[in-house]
Amino acid sequence: MNDDYLWDKSGEPDPQIQELEDILGALRYQPRPLKLDGSLSARWRNYVALLAIAATVAVALLAGSVWLNIRSEEPSIPAVAYVAPAPPIPGLPLSVSTPLVPKRRPLIRVKHDDQEALAAKQQLMFALRIASEKLNTAYRRTQTPSQIKNQHKAG
Amino acid sequence: MATANMLLLNPLANAASEPAKETPIEIELVRSVLEGDRDGFSKLYHLYSPLVHGILLARVPRAEVDDLVQDIFLHAFKKLHTLRDGAAFGPWIAMIARNRAVDFHRRSRETVEITDDLRGSDKQEARAAEILELIRSLPHAYRETLVLRLVEGMTGPEIAVRTGLTAASVRVNLHRGMKLLREKLGFTEGL
């Protein structure tokens, strides 16, 4: 049998093949525009990931430096001069003489420290939260549409 | 038989027997895309989207084909720098499409395919879906070539150039595939 028509559509048309062409033509490719804009090139994708990492490190460093600054600005504990006890006064009983050591106020001091430390901790946590959000956003941007789609399918 | 089919599908297996045709337009387009010209890729897309569509249609449910075509070209756009010879763009993207179809089946269930494809909007489309199912039941080497010829309307020489197969292989696949399809459809050969 001559299959020229099947091969290159030349020669005498085969009615069976023509019928199949007519029916199956309904499934033929319908041109659609290709959407390249939604995707970043592989090179840019790498840059975004690197930028995300760099931003995270920068924010963490900033937070650390802020925390250290706050710590260093705290007034240092004043040095306490040791005052030697006064020599016993003759004629007075020993138990009466008391050393002239100033009383410290530890409770007030500790409370002040706690407030500053808490504020510093809150600032640090806030900075880390921002860094985490930035990292998540960058990670989402680096996901291709097909990966996201496949994740949906897998889910 | 399976080995023979694999050989017919493998362009390298027949490279020695018949030299591949030169396709300078692909070389130019690939080069321009790598230099940053996106329009060049649009031209490649328009040239090769029927091929990719046909390859997928022979393997995956119709409802999935259009999205997969887009995915495959996006993937090709990102990986184009890995293509050493621009003239081999056709065989390269055809291989991507075949691999993507394999991936699709690895992830999905068979039941989806049957219910999805038999649903046609009208009588002719339903008949087309039935015939497509018959083509899909043929050996791999035949189904792809038949879909490209009967559905996408490509000629044998066009199929050979686009897929990188030799003209002889495509001719044999068309002839044998059509013979099997006629039998399945109950057509009398030589009518």
Side-chain angles (χ1 to χ4, degrees):
Chain A
M1 182 189 162
N2 186 356
D3 60 1
D4 282 348
Y5 183 75
L6 178 65
W7 171 239
D8 59 3
K9 301 183 184 179
S10 68
E12 191 183 342
D14 183 326
Q16 289 176 350
I17 294 173
Q18 279 186 318
E19 185 187 344
L20 287 172
E21 284 176 323
D22 287 344
I23 296 169
L24 290 171
L27 308 178
R28 188 168 294 173
Y29 173 70
Q30 301 298 319
R32 289 172 60 185
L34 180 65
K35 295 166 191 163
L36 289 176
D37 296 336
S39 68
L40 296 167
S41 68
R43 198 171 292 170
W44 277 107
R45 202 173 296 280
N46 290 338
Y47 286 149
V48 168
L50 285 174
L51 277 174
I53 292 167
T56 308
V57 171
V59 170
L61 284 175
L62 187 68
S65 65
V66 167
W67 184 69
L68 284 174
N69 264 340
I70 290 169
R71 296 292 294 171
S72 63
E73 280 172 8
E74 287 173 4
S76 57
I77 298 170
V80 177
Y82 177 74
V83 179
I89 300 166
L92 284 176
L94 278 174
S95 59
V96 176
S97 71
T98 52
L100 294 175
V101 178
K103 285 184 180 177
R104 285 192 286 177
R105 295 178 296 175
L107 286 176
I108 297 167
R109 182 73 220 160
V110 167
K111 195 174 176 184
H112 181 67
D113 279 353
D114 278 353
Q115 283 172 349
E116 286 190 347
L118 191 64
K121 185 185 167 191
Q122 281 174 345
Q123 281 185 341
L124 181 62
M125 293 305 289
F126 182 65
L128 286 174
R129 206 173 298 137
I130 291 172
S132 172
E133 283 298 321
K134 276 177 179 284
L135 193 60
N136 281 337
T137 309
Y139 178 73
R140 277 195 296 273
R141 279 186 189 165
T142 57
Q143 294 281 297
T144 62
S146 63
Q147 280 173 322
I148 292 167
K149 190 179 168 192
N150 290 338
Q151 281 171 3
H152 287 310
K153 281 182 184 171
Chain B
M1 184 67 179
T3 312
N5 289 338
M6 290 297 289
L7 284 171
L8 291 175
L9 268 176
N10 184 358
L12 296 176
N14 296 305
S17 61
E18 197 170 321
K21 287 187 180 178
E22 282 189 23
T23 49
I25 188 164
E26 282 86 350
I27 296 173
E28 280 302 312
L29 289 173
V30 168
R31 189 182 299 146
S32 70
V33 174
L34 291 176
E35 286 168 0
D37 175 22
R38 285 192 168 200
D39 288 341
F41 196 77
S42 292
K43 287 172 188 161
L44 283 171
Y45 172 70
H46 286 298
L47 269 176
Y48 282 93
S49 46
L51 171 76
V52 172
H53 185 266
I55 289 171
L56 292 172
L57 199 59
R59 290 169 167 81
V60 301
R62 279 172 54 208
E64 305 288 340
V65 171
D66 285 340
D67 286 345
L68 282 174
V69 170
Q70 294 269 328
D71 280 355
I72 286 164
F73 275 94
L74 281 176
H75 178 80
F77 179 65
K78 288 168 197 161
K79 297 287 178 186
L80 196 63
H81 63 279
T82 65
L83 178 63
R84 289 181 183 177
D85 180 11
F89 181 83
W92 179 68
I93 202 160
M95 192 55 69
I96 293 173
R98 291 184 195 116
N99 290 339
R100 188 58 69 91
V102 171
D103 285 346
F104 176 85
H105 283 291
R106 203 176 288 155
R107 292 173 188 168
S108 59
R109 296 174 186 169
E110 288 296 321
T111 49
V112 176
E113 187 169 356
I114 295 164
T115 53
D116 190 40
D117 273 4
L118 291 180
R119 192 177 55 205
S121 60
D122 57 31
K123 232 177 185 180
Q124 190 186 0
E125 205 170 322
R127 177 73 177 138
E130 281 175 25
I131 297 172
L132 183 64
E133 278 305 304
L134 288 177
I135 293 174
R136 282 177 178 171
S137 68
L138 300 176
H140 276 285
Y142 305 151
R143 66 173 82 159
E144 181 179 307
T145 318
L146 277 182
V147 168
L148 292 174
R149 171 66 185 84
L150 299 173
V151 179
E152 305 299 341
M154 296 166 73
T155 63
E158 282 171 346
I159 296 169
V161 169
R162 294 269 190 272
T163 58
L165 294 170
T166 64
S169 296
V170 173
R171 191 157 197 156
V172 166
N173 289 348
L174 276 177
H175 181 76
R176 291 183 184 168
M178 195 61 213
K179 190 179 177 188
L180 288 175
L181 184 61
R182 281 185 214 266
E183 287 171 10
K184 283 183 180 281
L185 287 166
F187 284 174
T188 313
E189 198 167 340
L191 190 79

